Amino acid sequence: MIEINNVSVLFKNKKSNVAAVDNVSLKINDGEIFGIVGHSGAGKSTLVRVINLLQKPTEGEVLIDGVDITKLNRKELRQKRLEIGMIFQHFNLIKGKTIAQNIEFVLKADNYPKDKREARITELLSLVNLLDKKDSYPENLSGGQKQRAGIARAIANNPKILLCDEATSALDLENTEEVVNLLRDINEKTKITIVFITHEMDVAKRLFDRAAVMDNGKIIEVNNVYDLFASPQHEVTRALVNRNSSIELPREILKKLDKGEILKVTYKGDNSFSAVISKAIKKFNVDINIIHGRIDYISNKPIGNLIINITGLKDEINRAKKFIQSNAVETERIINEYMEVI
Ligand SMILES: Nc1ncnc2c1ncn2[C@@H]1O[C@H](COP(=O)(O)OP(=O)(O)OP(=O)(O)O)[C@@H](O)[C@H]1O
């Protein structure tokens, strides 16, 4: 288990002090895929680098399996770091070495038996589906291939923990998908604990078991990833989630929706919400048109998003709106400049 207790990281400049991490406490369980999300500058990179002491905390403890690594001497820390692999946004492969040599480099560092290295390299490269690139240099690999090589290198010595710093942020959608699936597979097979920071909520949705949301150096919310998306508690989480599920209606459609109110409704999945809409039409003197609908699956559980247009008299619209709100996780009014004011 990783336990971060009251950790702060203070950067002192001539002009000001920045608390990049501000009194953070967090427990990450063995074998889980734990995410840290937040806007740019929230402190995610600094916090993840505290876990292997690439960044020394100004205050607080970092316990790995009960050992406070801030108290270790150099030699002990070097040993402990072998239990923690890391992958980076820009891969950090050694340019002058082939992919096989990049992996051999870390095997050597852990005194992996010389006669078994070749077999281990083959095993790792087949796991990440890169056997044919064994003797290629990093510059001849695509971004996705480089990151897969980075993963092979990071897990070469069977670490217990894999830290991932924006590991998919430099990749296109297809390569991101591949890396996400690979990390899920590795986690399932080896039970390695993965700590993954990202600002990409799409990745969060597909990869994480649990996640923490960071803002201004602080952890503001921790939850399983389904509930984080289905019922975000903090306004920063809501903004991150909404940005991910924002649906832009084309102007031509908005021009036609010039009466009543447009609402975006988020509800906890399956088909049950259509019953709420038809009840609202029966109970109140309103019409409801469904403009857009989508169901996402997070941790194999559905979350629905609907955009509806409610028309009728103002009081009836408000009553229908209250009824819908009481059955949904969240409703948001969509402002339409073409709308008649009622
Ligand atoms: N070495 C440093 N010296 C001074 N300030 C720093 C240093 N590293 C980070 N900071 C500041 O600490 C804060 C947190 O930075 P950090 O990189 O951890 O955020 P982040 O959430 O990872 O952002 P991003 O997603 O943009 O990388 C920022 O205000 C940043 O400017």
Side-chain angles (χ1 to χ4, degrees):
M1 184 192 277
I2 305 170
E3 276 179 82
I4 296 172
N5 293 329
N6 306 103
V7 161
S8 294
V9 179
L10 206 64
F11 291 117
K12 289 184 183 163
N13 298 333
K14 275 185 190 151
K15 285 185 193 154
S16 62
N17 290 346
V18 182
V21 175
D22 190 359
N23 197 19
V24 163
S25 296
L26 198 60
K27 280 194 177 79
I28 300 173
N29 300 316
D30 287 343
E32 72 176 332
I33 305 185
F34 190 89
I36 301 171
V37 297
H39 295 299
S40 176
K44 308 180 295 293
S45 283
T46 310
L47 180 60
V48 85
R49 289 158 62 88
V50 160
I51 299 175
N52 59 0
L53 285 202
L54 277 184
Q55 176 62 57
K56 229 176 162 343
T58 318
E59 273 176 56
E61 301 178 323
V62 182
L63 271 62
I64 296 189
D65 296 334
V67 176
D68 183 357
I69 60 169
T70 65
K71 302 267 165 25
L72 299 181
N73 64 33
R74 264 180 178 216
K75 195 173 160 210
E76 291 166 332
L77 181 61
R78 203 178 320 126
Q79 204 52 41
K80 198 74 188 168
R81 277 199 180 130
L82 294 171
E83 294 173 18
I84 311 172
M86 187 158 188
I87 56 173
F88 305 85
Q89 180 173 3
H90 297 295
F91 325 117
N92 294 16
L93 296 167
I94 305 167
K95 279 188 193 144
K97 288 187 190 288
T98 64
I99 299 309
Q101 288 164 346
N102 261 279
I103 298 173
E104 193 183 13
F105 184 77
V106 294
L107 291 175
K108 247 189 213 167
D110 193 21
N111 294 322
Y112 202 92
K114 205 171 178 183
D115 57 333
K116 295 200 174 118
R117 282 183 206 160
E118 184 72 32
R120 179 68 180 146
I121 292 169
T122 304
E123 182 187 18
L124 286 159
L125 287 178
S126 34
L127 180 71
V128 301
N129 202 12
L130 269 188
L131 213 45
D132 55 332
K133 301 289 177 194
K134 191 167 176 257
D135 299 316
S136 302
Y137 287 88
E139 62 184 3
N140 299 322
L141 264 56
S142 73
Q145 290 169 335
K146 279 185 212 166
Q147 196 55 292
R148 283 188 276 139
I151 292 170
R153 186 183 58 175
I155 62 168
N157 293 316
N158 290 313
K160 290 183 191 155
I161 298 168
L162 178 62
L163 305 179
C164 311
D165 187 351
E166 296 279 2
T168 51
S169 302
L171 304 181
D172 62 16
L173 280 181
E174 203 179 316
N175 282 314
T176 295
E177 180 86 21
E178 238 178 53
V179 167
V180 163
N181 290 339
L182 179 61
L183 289 174
R184 273 224 151 271
D185 275 358
I186 292 171
N187 167 259
E188 256 167 47
K189 276 187 198 140
T190 66
K191 304 290 170 231
I192 192 171
T193 309
I194 298 182
V195 185
F196 193 111
I197 67 161
T198 186
H199 64 276
E200 299 176 301
M201 295 304 275
D202 250 329
V203 171
K205 206 153 76 177
R206 278 175 293 146
L207 182 63
F208 301 164
D209 297 321
R210 286 196 308 141
V213 185
M214 262 192 110
D215 184 46
N216 237 337
K218 291 189 188 299
I219 300 277
I220 52 170
E221 192 167 344
V222 182
N223 213 337
N224 69 70
V225 77
Y226 181 82
D227 286 326
L228 209 62
F229 275 85
S231 354
Q233 298 298 306
H234 194 283
E235 65 180 288
V236 171
T237 318
R238 231 170 279 142
L240 287 164
V241 167
N242 280 342
R243 201 171 56 186
N244 178 257
S245 62
S246 75
I247 302 152
E248 289 281 318
L249 290 179
R251 281 179 100 75
E252 289 314 307
I253 301 283
L254 284 173
K255 272 185 192 168
K256 285 183 196 154
L257 301 174
D258 59 351
K259 288 190 177 57
E261 275 203 29
I262 307 174
L263 288 185
K264 180 180 159 207
V265 184
T266 305
Y267 60 99
K268 285 198 179 179
D270 64 39
N271 295 323
S272 61
F273 212 76
S274 58
V276 174
I277 301 288
S278 54
K279 261 190 208 156
I281 297 170
K282 277 187 201 138
K283 269 170 99 90
F284 310 101
N285 193 11
V286 291
D287 269 332
I288 300 179
N289 274 317
I290 295 176
I291 315 297
H292 178 96
R294 163 172 127 180
I295 296 183
D296 273 329
Y297 285 83
I298 302 178
S299 306
N300 297 321
K301 286 188 278 178
I303 291 182
N305 273 301
L306 275 186
I307 296 187
I308 54 174
N309 179 210
I310 317 179
T311 51
L313 292 172
K314 193 178 175 183
D315 282 354
E316 287 297 294
I317 291 179
N318 283 337
R319 291 172 65 203
K321 214 164 91 174
K322 273 203 184 114
F323 174 76
I324 289 168
Q325 269 164 346
S326 67
N327 283 282
V329 173
E330 191 159 283
T331 56
E332 180 198 347
R333 188 176 174 196
I334 295 183
I335 307 293
N336 179 5
E337 57 182 299
Y338 303 105
M339 187 78 90
E340 247 173 39
V341 179
I342 53 168

